[in-house]
Every structure is written in C-alpha cells, then in structure tokens.
Amino acid sequence: MKSTLNWRKSSFSTGEGSGGSCVEVAPLPDGGVAMRNSTLGDASPVVHYTQAELKAFILGVKAGEFDDLV
C-alpha cells in the first residue's frame, strides 16, 4: 500500500537522498494519515495516525508546544 499512496512533502524540506530532512504525509482511505521519511522512500517505515491524533499534534505545533525540539 505504501507505493499507492499520494505522498506530499513540505516545501521546507532540505533535499533528496541521504542527509536530507524530509517527512512526507499521505491521506489514508479510512480518513487517517500516513507519515514516512522520504529520504528512504518505499523502504521507510510508515506510521499511521488518526485525524484526531494529527489534529492534536498540528495544533500543538502551531501553539509552539514543540519549539524546544528544533
């Protein structure tokens, strides 16, 4: 299923191949979201999140709750 998903990458990504910093997301048929490391492509592990989980995370990012991690 990984290769059939419509992966989207942030415009803030830092390039392709090893050393690049990029996370891709793709909508899932059940309404959830899949996330992977695009530098590994189809070899990357894929983590699935529900809409509620992703919404909580994005709201936290927008509120600056994770700024200390970068």
Side-chain angles (χ1 to χ4, degrees):
M1 169 161 70
K2 288 193 257 186
S3 60
T4 62
L5 295 175
N6 184 24
W7 292 102
R8 295 178 9 200
K9 185 174 12 178
S10 168
S11 62
F12 292 92
S13 297
T14 61
E16 301 291 330
S18 64
S21 299
C22 181
V23 173
E24 290 180 310
V25 296
L28 295 171
D30 67 359
V33 177
M35 191 176 294
R36 74 177 182 181
N37 177 335
S38 70
T39 60
L40 300 176
D42 285 339
S44 176
V46 176
V47 181
H48 295 212
Y49 296 97
T50 65
Q51 280 283 324
E53 290 167 334
L54 190 60
K55 181 179 180 179
F57 177 72
I58 290 173
L59 290 172
V61 168
K62 288 181 177 182
E65 294 175 3
F66 308 107
D67 288 355
D68 63 312
L69 299 176
V70 292

